[in-house]
Amino acid sequence: EDKVVQSPLSLVVHEGDTVTLNCSYEVTNFRSLLWYKQEKKAPTFLFMLTSSGIEKKSGRLSSILDKKELFSILNITATQTGDSAVYLCAAGRDGNTGKLIFGQGTTLQVKP
Amino acid sequence: EAGVTQSPTHLIKTRGQQATLRCSPISGHTSVYWYQQALGLGLQFLLWYDEGEERNRGNFPPRFSGRQFPNYSSELNVNALELEDSALYLCASSDAGRRFAEAFFGQGTRLTVV
């Protein structure tokens, strides 16, 4: 059965810290790995990764995929209180399934 | 450009009743996805509609059904509600050319079954 596992499940840091969130996957016919940030209700898209070893960056956030070891990491540098949220990773499969397989999420709390 | 919109925001129903949730995708998007997010659990895939057809469904009972209209908006129906159906229901959309790319989510409908 396909699964996506995130770690840690929760994390508390102070402003300015750097955090690394982990996502491992076992997905048949894997195609892509996506990261979302969920603050209240609507998950907002962060990154989509399809190629191994190529880092994607957006401001203080960056992410990379390792298709050999079947994991991805999301890094946030110089954290701010506004980074407090649940971070979700999801795997997409090849083929016309339209389905993303989500992990359970990492709850990040950034304290002032 | 308007994002994905869902209605209602909150819905309270009694066990055994039916619930209808609505979703309007981003203009130009033809695919609509429904996910259930129960408390403490990750998002679980419910249904995918594209070009008016149901393309795939997750491991949910037939009580969960829906449809997509010619304007690509979608409706999720949950019949014979059970207490464990209480959850946040999220709708997402993507365009046909980027079907495997990022999907954009709406704010969700919080369904409470009492």
Side-chain angles (χ1 to χ4, degrees):
Chain A
E1 185 182 329
D2 295 334
K3 64 179 179 180
V4 174
V5 177
Q6 293 185 243
S7 64
L9 291 181
S10 65
L11 193 54
V12 180
V13 300
H14 288 92
E15 271 191 318
D17 288 349
T18 294
V19 297
T20 298
L21 309 183
N22 304 292
C23 175
S24 65
Y25 63 90
E26 291 177 32
V27 173
T28 309
N29 299 324
F30 171 83
R31 180 184 177 97
S32 57
L33 194 292
L34 294 87
W35 285 95
Y36 288 87
K37 178 183 181 182
Q38 186 176 27
E39 291 180 82
K40 296 216 171 152
K41 287 187 178 178
T44 54
F45 172 79
L46 294 174
F47 298 109
M48 184 177 74
L49 304 138
T50 55
S51 300
S52 218
I54 298 174
E55 185 183 51
K56 290 212 171 181
K57 291 196 72 166
S58 177
R60 296 176 294 102
L61 277 66
S62 64
S63 184
I64 198 161
L65 174 67
D66 185 328
K67 292 171 79 172
K68 182 179 176 186
E69 300 297 330
L70 308 183
F71 76 91
S72 174
I73 60 171
L74 175 69
N75 279 317
I76 309 175
T77 59
T79 52
Q80 303 171 356
T81 55
D83 296 326
S84 297
V86 176
Y87 290 84
L88 301 167
C89 78
R93 296 178 61 184
D94 231 342
N96 221 8
T97 70
K99 170 182 176 180
L100 291 175
I101 302 139
F102 279 84
Q104 67 273 58
T106 293
T107 301
L108 173 65
Q109 183 184 0
V110 181
K111 292 187 171 182
Chain B
E1 178 185 279
V4 177
T5 57
Q6 292 187 244
S7 63
T9 307
H10 293 87
L11 190 57
I12 300 175
K13 291 285 186 178
T14 304
R15 193 170 51 182
Q17 285 188 314
Q18 178 196 44
T20 298
L21 289 62
R22 296 181 176 83
C23 172
S24 292
I26 291 171
S27 178
H29 285 189
T30 61
S31 278
V32 170
Y33 313 84
W34 288 96
Y35 285 84
Q36 181 196 65
Q37 189 176 31
L39 194 64
L41 298 178
L43 277 74
Q44 302 292 317
F45 171 74
L46 264 167
L47 289 158
W48 170 35
Y49 291 96
D50 184 65
E51 298 284 354
E53 301 283 332
E54 180 182 302
R55 302 295 185 181
N56 197 11
R57 65 179 293 130
N59 293 327
F60 282 84
R63 304 187 292 108
F64 290 82
S65 65
R67 53 181 171 165
Q68 186 178 35
F69 300 98
N71 66 355
Y72 304 115
S73 66
S74 177
E75 193 173 90
L76 174 69
N77 295 295
V78 188
N79 294 319
L81 285 164
E82 300 178 2
L83 296 178
E84 52 265 33
D85 297 333
S86 295
L88 179 67
Y89 289 83
L90 290 162
C91 168
S93 73
S94 66
D95 67 45
R98 297 170 61 77
R99 194 165 289 152
F100 302 108
E102 66 273 19
F104 295 89
F105 283 85
Q107 293 289 326
T109 293
R110 173 75 63 187
L111 173 63
T112 303
V113 183
V114 297

